[in-house]
């Protein structure tokens, strides 16, 4: 019986993986410029890392993959990157030696969502977390990193939308205002939102069911309830963004889907044809309590995450070539079975010099080897027949110019080096 991939998953095939590698390479380049180091955490964690008392987002309450292992432990496949990174930050006491930890990650997350274009059950995020500072200049720098990344990829129709939720006091006033706003129409909202009014009314603002309800459309916005200190904080963030030429738009309704955010929140949106509802490439924000919630000291953090699939889609949609062609240097052809081991030895020599080289392993005749060799798009074919074998040489055919030369093995290496120049 043929077995298919699980619903909501996809394969990256060998002919496509170089695009992922190229994007990952770009990420490593840009994060290095801002002095972020990679952190790799497990894809499953004890459930309490994600299922925390104050975390009531759909993503955590409804979409996580939870299971018990044979030791009766409750585990969860990570639905997002931040909580695991912070768990590790706390467990490894990274704050002891460094007043600010700048970390990035690239890895799969799992959410039980309805699969559709740009939405999978296993998807990969690239994200950063900077933990340990309350400086608004850091918020600006994190947004600058996201912006710089998008710019350097050459994506055009992309905008950075920013907002602030303010500090805890602001958030509390905003929440109270939302409660008062929604209470009179409670019975008109979906069952989830009815629950959210008391528990976390912010979640109503990005409810997928009620988003067209008049009261949702006209809901109060965080900016109306900012304390003086929160306002000053956000002003500073904007000032630093302006100063560093980071283009953004103010989005006063943006609240983001997670419960731990305070102060600065932002999203990166692509106005790219065919993207429709899945046009958010990434987003993030500042979190003041997460480190403490996970048992660490009272340290704030800020971070963002991009969805890699959507980034790759956007790049493809805009016809941006962000990778170098990975071309085979040599495909070797043996005219006769008896020349194969000589060919294999020749290719081994080339590989020791750093060339990419392969040959036929299916006992194909000369004609088929030639056809398959051309299909690989190799720069050169090496052909070994009786004559080459007898004189310890090779025939090298340039697949672009169709020129063919006969070379001794020593000459071969020099010739390829010369051509590479
Ligand atoms: P979030 O962690 O929900 O803020 O999502 C950050 C980014 O991750 C989004 O903007 C998407 O690009 C990506 N993302 C989130 N959920 C999915 C999903 N189910 N499938 C693919 N990409 C996703």
């Amino acid at each position: 019986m043929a077995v298919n991939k699980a619903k909501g998953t996809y394969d990256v095939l060998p002919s496509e993986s170089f695009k992922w590698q190229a994007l990952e390479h770009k990420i490593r380049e840009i994060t290095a410029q801002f002095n972020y180091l990679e952190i790799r955490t497990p894809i499953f964690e004890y459930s309490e890392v994600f299922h925390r008392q104050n975390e009531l987002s759909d993503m955590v309450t409804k979409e996580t993959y939870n299971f018990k292992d044979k030791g009766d432990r409750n585990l969860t496949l990570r639905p997002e990157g931040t909580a695991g990174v912070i768990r590790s930050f706390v467990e490894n006491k990274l704050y002891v030696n460094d007043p600010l930890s700048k970390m990035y990650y690239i890895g799969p997350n799992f959410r039980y969502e309805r699969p559709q274009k740009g939405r999978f059950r296993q998807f990969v995020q690239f994200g950063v977390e900077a933990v340990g500072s309350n400086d608004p200049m850091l918020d600006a720098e994190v947004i600058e990193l996201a912006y710089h990344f998008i710019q350097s990829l050459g994506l055009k129709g992309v905008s950075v939308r920013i907002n602030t939720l303010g500090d805890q006091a602001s958030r509390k006033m905003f929440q109270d205002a939302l409660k008062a706003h929604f209470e009179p129409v409670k019975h008109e909202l979906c069952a989830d939102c009815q629950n959210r009014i008391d528990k976390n009314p912010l979640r109503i603002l990005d409810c997928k069911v009620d988003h067209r309800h008049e009261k949702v459309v006209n809901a109060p916005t965080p900016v109306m309830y900012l304390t003086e200190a929160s306002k000053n904080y956000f002003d500073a963030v904007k000032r630093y963004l302006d100063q560093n030429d980071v283009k953004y738009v103010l989005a006063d309704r943006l609240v983001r889907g997670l419960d731990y955010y305070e102060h600065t929140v932002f999203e990166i949106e692509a106005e790219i044809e065919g993207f429709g509802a899945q046009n958010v490439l990434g987003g993030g924000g500042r979190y003041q309590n997460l480190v403490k919630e996970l048992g660490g000291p009272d340290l704030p953090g800020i971070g963002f995450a991009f969805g890699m699939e959507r980034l790759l889609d956007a790049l493809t949609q805009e016809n941006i070539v962000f990778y170098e062609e990975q071309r085979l240097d040599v495909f070797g052809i043996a005219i006769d079975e008896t020349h194969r081991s000589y060919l294999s030895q020749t290719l081994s020599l080339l590989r020791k010099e750093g060339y990419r080289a392969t040959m036929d392993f299916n006992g194909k005749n000369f004609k088929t080897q030639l056809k398959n060799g051309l299909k690989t798009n190799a720069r050169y074919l090496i052909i070994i027949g009786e004559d080459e074998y007898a004189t310890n040489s090779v025939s090298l055919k340039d697949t672009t110019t169709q020129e063919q030369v006969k070379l001794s093995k020593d000459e071969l290496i020099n010739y390829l080096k010369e051509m590479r120049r």
Side-chain angles (χ1 to χ4, degrees):
M1 188 189 78
V3 179
N4 295 332
K5 60 184 179 290
K7 187 171 174 184
T9 65
Y10 61 87
D11 300 307
V12 179
L13 298 176
S15 57
E16 290 287 313
S17 53
F18 70 97
K19 291 188 184 173
W20 283 81
Q21 291 165 355
L23 188 56
E24 285 162 13
H25 183 72
K26 194 85 205 167
I27 288 167
R28 296 184 202 285
E29 251 174 30
I30 304 284
T31 47
Q33 284 189 289
F34 288 78
N35 200 32
Y36 283 72
L37 300 180
E38 188 180 14
I39 181 163
R40 301 188 186 192
T41 64
I43 59 168
F44 61 88
E45 298 270 359
Y46 288 126
S47 297
E48 64 249 39
V49 171
F50 307 108
H51 293 272
R52 302 178 309 273
Q53 206 181 358
N54 298 325
E55 186 53 66
L56 300 169
S57 61
D58 278 6
M59 179 192 80
V60 167
T61 55
K62 293 189 185 166
E63 296 171 358
T64 45
Y65 284 86
N66 305 300
F67 59 99
K68 271 191 198 290
D69 71 4
K70 288 183 182 172
D72 209 32
R73 300 173 190 90
N74 291 311
L75 298 168
T76 297
L77 294 185
R78 68 179 180 211
E80 55 108 15
T82 307
V85 168
I86 299 304
R87 191 272 310 144
S88 172
F89 170 85
V90 171
E91 185 170 348
N92 294 290
K93 297 194 170 54
L94 298 187
Y95 46 87
V96 171
N97 290 323
D98 210 341
L100 176 67
S101 294
K102 285 175 150 188
M103 302 166 277
Y104 79 93
Y105 59 84
I106 304 171
N109 295 313
F110 306 85
R111 296 183 195 172
Y112 192 79
E113 294 195 85
R114 197 165 63 78
Q116 50 192 292
K117 184 179 156 41
R119 195 171 281 284
F120 304 94
R121 289 183 174 172
Q122 173 173 335
F123 60 99
V124 179
Q125 281 186 339
F126 146 54
V128 310
E129 310 295 343
V131 191
S133 163
N134 256 324
D135 186 346
M137 199 181 286
L138 178 64
D139 299 41
E141 197 196 75
V142 167
I143 297 172
E144 181 183 335
L145 198 172
Y147 182 75
H148 185 58
F149 173 58
I150 287 296
Q151 294 289 103
S152 71
L153 285 173
L155 280 171
K156 289 289 181 320
V158 175
S159 57
V160 179
R161 306 168 64 239
I162 67 169
N163 194 19
T164 181
L165 301 174
D167 55 17
Q168 274 204 5
S170 318
R171 221 185 127 117
K172 172 86 180 40
M173 285 188 280
F174 177 47
Q175 277 181 331
D176 290 345
L178 287 175
K179 277 181 200 169
H181 178 79
F182 286 119
E183 198 56 55
V185 293
K186 187 170 182 173
H187 58 281
E188 294 172 25
L189 302 176
C190 73
D192 281 336
C193 282
Q194 297 193 12
N195 264 323
R196 288 169 178 144
I197 292 186
D198 288 323
K199 286 194 184 145
N200 190 346
L202 258 78
R203 289 282 68 76
I204 301 175
L205 301 179
D206 44 36
C207 174
K208 287 165 194 146
V209 182
D210 289 326
H211 66 284
R212 286 209 186 85
H213 192 286
E214 179 258 326
K215 280 278 183 183
V216 176
V217 176
N218 298 319
T221 56
V223 67
M224 302 169 178
Y225 305 94
L226 295 181
T227 59
E228 199 57 30
S230 300
K231 225 180 277 174
N232 291 340
Y233 191 97
F234 195 47
D235 285 343
V237 174
K238 287 185 284 185
R239 208 165 50 243
Y240 297 130
L241 287 173
D242 291 335
Q243 172 200 287
N244 291 4
D245 278 333
V246 178
K247 305 273 179 295
Y248 58 86
V249 286
L250 295 175
D252 64 349
R253 301 191 161 268
L254 179 65
V255 294
R256 304 273 308 137
L258 281 155
D259 282 335
Y260 47 57
Y261 288 123
E262 276 178 46
H263 285 294
T264 317
V265 287
F266 60 99
E267 258 176 19
I268 291 93
E269 230 177 57
E271 286 123 42
I272 291 170
E273 222 184 284
F275 261 53
Q278 308 309 335
N279 67 345
V280 181
L281 297 180
R286 176 168 276 282
Y287 43 90
Q288 303 299 82
N289 270 316
L290 189 59
V291 181
K292 222 165 51 181
E293 262 183 66
L294 285 165
D298 189 5
L299 289 172
I302 176 162
F304 66 68
F306 276 97
M308 296 282 277
E309 295 82 3
R310 286 187 208 175
L311 277 170
L312 286 166
D313 265 4
L315 289 162
T316 306
Q317 188 72 29
E318 302 235 299
N319 293 318
I320 296 173
V321 180
F322 57 101
Y323 42 81
E324 272 177 45
E325 205 183 351
Q326 309 275 308
R327 220 173 147 186
L328 187 65
D329 293 307
V330 172
F331 187 89
I333 296 171
I335 292 185
D336 192 273
E337 173 68 26
T338 52
H339 309 132
R340 289 186 74 234
S341 76
Y342 174 83
L343 175 62
S344 157
Q345 202 183 23
T346 310
L347 298 187
S348 168
L349 204 70
L350 290 177
R351 284 190 290 258
K352 285 183 190 110
E353 294 293 327
Y355 294 98
R356 301 171 184 216
T358 190
M359 59 187 273
D360 168 70
F361 290 98
N362 295 89
K364 298 293 182 195
N365 64 25
F366 173 71
K367 229 174 113 189
T368 311
Q369 287 183 60
L370 188 62
K371 200 175 87 193
N372 291 344
L374 290 173
K375 236 196 264 172
T376 63
N377 197 28
R379 278 171 218 280
Y380 300 97
L381 301 178
I382 278 183
I383 301 157
I384 309 292
E386 192 48 45
D387 185 29
E388 287 83 0
Y389 180 64
T391 55
N392 202 25
S393 57
V394 306
S395 285
L396 184 79
K397 186 181 172 86
D398 185 320
T399 55
T400 316
T401 63
Q402 307 299 323
E403 268 172 51
Q404 187 164 324
V405 284
K406 197 164 160 229
L407 303 163
S408 75
K409 273 202 199 159
D410 288 341
E411 288 169 335
L412 172 65
I413 303 287
N414 287 333
Y415 185 89
L416 289 177
K417 268 190 195 147
E418 203 52 45
M419 297 308 276
R420 190 172 256 186
R421 248 186 246 128

